[in-house]
Amino acid sequence: MEYFGVDRHLIADASLVTGLVGQRLVPLLCEKCYIPWVEKAPELASDIRTSLERYCTVEWGSKPGKLYFRNHEGCDHCRNTIPLTGCIISRGVTGHTGHCRGCTR
Ligand SMILES: [Zn+2]
């Protein structure tokens, strides 16, 4: 028998439950104003920069140069306000997803 298109024995699998509990929505950075690694790296503390370079470099091709950072100032494309108050409620983010950009390509 299937539930939601998944075999029953898979629904009871502990690793599936662990994966569902651990999943979080990640912010989608605004493509108009995100900050690439080459611009952000000089601003980072040396220990953080070193950690990112170490952990983001893997054999199959990932490199720190593929990292992008949120622009907390935002831009006209991503800055949203509450119409009545004019209060800014988001900057640098255009939505949220359960997949990283690398997974959707
Ligand atoms: Zn933006």
Side-chain angles (χ1 to χ4, degrees):
M1 182 173 230
E2 290 184 2
Y3 293 94
F4 306 111
V6 179
D7 287 339
R8 187 176 188 167
H9 73 279
L10 291 176
I11 288 179
D13 188 325
S15 61
L16 174 66
V17 174
T18 301
L20 291 174
V21 170
Q23 184 172 5
R24 293 169 179 79
L25 296 178
V26 294
L28 288 172
L29 298 181
C30 174
E31 294 184 6
K32 304 283 186 190
C33 69
Y34 60 57
I35 303 169
W37 170 258
V38 293
E39 288 181 29
K40 186 72 175 183
E43 302 173 12
L44 298 172
S46 63
D47 60 327
I48 292 174
R49 188 174 57 245
T50 300
S51 294
L52 288 172
E53 288 169 342
R54 181 182 312 143
Y55 296 113
C56 294
T57 302
V58 293
E59 289 180 20
W60 44 268
S62 185
K63 299 174 186 171
K66 292 183 178 179
L67 290 176
Y68 296 93
F69 298 83
R70 181 178 180 178
N71 176 358
H72 290 277
E73 295 300 317
C75 68
D76 291 341
H77 180 70
C78 63
R79 194 177 303 126
N80 288 317
T81 59
I82 297 173
L84 290 176
T85 64
C87 181
I88 297 172
I89 55 173
S90 70
R91 297 177 182 168
V93 173
T94 56
H96 292 82
T97 184
H99 302 277
C100 69
R101 289 176 190 224
C103 296
T104 58
R105 289 182 181 160

